[in-house]
Amino acid sequence: MKSIQVEVKNVLATVSEAEIKALDAEVAAATSKLYDGNGEGNDFLGWLRLPSETSDSLIEEISSTAAQLRSLCDYVVCIGIGGSYLGAKAVIEALSDSFATLKQHNGPQVLFAGQNIGEDYLYELQSLLSDKKFGIIVISKSGTTTEPAIAFRLLKEQLEKQVGKAEASKRIVAITDANRGALRKLATEEGYKTFVIADNVGGRFSVLTPVGLLPIAVAGFDIKALIDGARTMEAASLNGENNCVAAYAATRNALYRAGKKIEILVNYNPKLHFLGEWWKQLYGESEGKDHKGIFPAAVDNSTDLHSMGQWIQDGERTIFETVISVGEQQHKVVIPTDADNLDGLNYIAGKRVDEVNKMAELGTVIAHVDGGVPNMRITLPALTEFWLGQIIYFFEKACGVSGYILGVNPFNQPGVEDYKRNMFALLNKPGYEAESKAIQAKLG
Ligand code: PA5
């Protein structure tokens, strides 16, 4: 069975093989908790068997809704935040031409909104769309999140003004809870096409549900291959032998116990920036609890070698790196020979750009390991739907296992509520009168 690989030899100066192996029993116990459903947060385990349980009919329904949006729209705005945004963004960025927004397209461009409250962002988006054929995918599991609700109110009104209510309702798809929340109520009243986010799948584990699959399909990518990749990893990670999920979970926890409190996810491919953002949310919201948890950070190399590289090489030794190494590039660019060689680059003439990039990667790993930064390496053979499906499920499962090893509930996010309470109090939201008084007293 083909699977991504995890290599841990470059952590062994910090934690020994025996120290990693000593976590085997904890990994096994954490994995059993997931499968037996007897750990904390066990009402949010729907993601665990999601790839194998995703039906062909759901994939067909999503594909035909995507085809409908593709036929009606030149732009589809995907509205959502956190887990209702980052998975789709990560996959679309990883698979898209880097300059897709500037090139002629076969299908619509997927844009994002509701992931911030930037007034200029929304103004500029509305002005871009003012003379365009656009549609909306609005995603909110709770159906009550403020950021996407604001973006949806603005864009819904704009779309209805541009094309009328009846046509607008054909171009709007809502993905939300089956029964609860303002978005479900609104979608029912307006007659929108809807997809359901199952109760037992939390936002940051929802990329392989319609939350991620519909925008990815609208962008023109093969969601069946994505699910196939995830299924392969679901099957591969059931196995005790050569289980890359277990190896990653055990190693990062051994490093944490050895004082390495920060994990930096490193890529050498600009298309993976948002995979890093998705991973940060997955691990940050899952593990950062009870004053515990590895702090997830991410860098895009070689760009960030010219900024964060100094800190990583030479700063406080509390970090470790997990490098995502992509095997094959899709395109070939060879560095030309120049007769004058004024730039002194003829020593690499004839080499592919990726060969240089791979040497930057190898040279950096050696330097960082020499500098006291343990390195894990995850090999992703290529940026395709299949391999992305594998790595998504790989990280999700390792996150569940790691969270239980750490002793937290990996599936809630109580800390996210604090800022919301203050924001609602400051905005005088009905129902927050006591909080408004308290916060005004604090502000003096
Ligand atoms: O992982 C999570 O649950 C969160 O990050 C949510 O995805 C995020 O807060 C958005 O929530 P909702 O989909 O309810 O609007």
Side-chain angles (χ1 to χ4, degrees), residues 44 80-86 139-149 175-176 197 201-206 211 281-282 285-286 411-413 416-417 419-420:
F44 284 102
I81 194 166
S84 292
Y85 152 64
L86 282 163
I139 309 173
S140 178
K141 183 173 181 193
S142 62
T144 56
T145 307
T146 312
E147 290 89 338
I175 307 178
T176 188
I197 311 173
V201 180
R204 58 189 171 277
F205 289 84
S206 69
V211 170
Q281 189 218 354
L282 181 64
E285 275 193 350
S286 300
F411 307 114
N412 64 2
Q413 55 283 330
V416 177
E417 298 309 312
Y419 98 88
K420 289 186 193 167

Side-chain angles (χ1 to χ4, degrees), residues 37-71:
N38 57 8
E40 272 195 285
N42 55 6
D43 41 350
F44 284 102
L45 291 171
W47 58 271
L48 188 61
R49 298 179 179 89
L50 192 64
S52 57
E53 287 176 356
T54 299
S55 64
D56 288 349
S57 64
L58 178 64
I59 293 182
E60 272 158 31
E61 190 186 347
I62 293 170
S63 302
S64 85
T65 305
Q68 157 97 348
L69 283 174
R70 283 171 69 81
S71 71

Side-chain angles (χ1 to χ4, degrees), residues 18 23 35 62 97 173 249 260 281 302 320 322 343 356 359 373:
L23 271 109
Y35 283 99
I62 293 170
D97 184 302
V173 179
K260 305 297 177 189
Q281 189 218 354
S302 71
F320 66 98
T322 299
D343 54 11
V356 179
M359 291 310 108
V373 181

Side-chain angles (χ1 to χ4, degrees), residues 425 432-442:
Y432 286 79
E433 291 75 12
E435 287 86 349
S436 289
K437 254 194 196 154
I439 206 158
Q440 289 307 338
K442 231 180 238 174

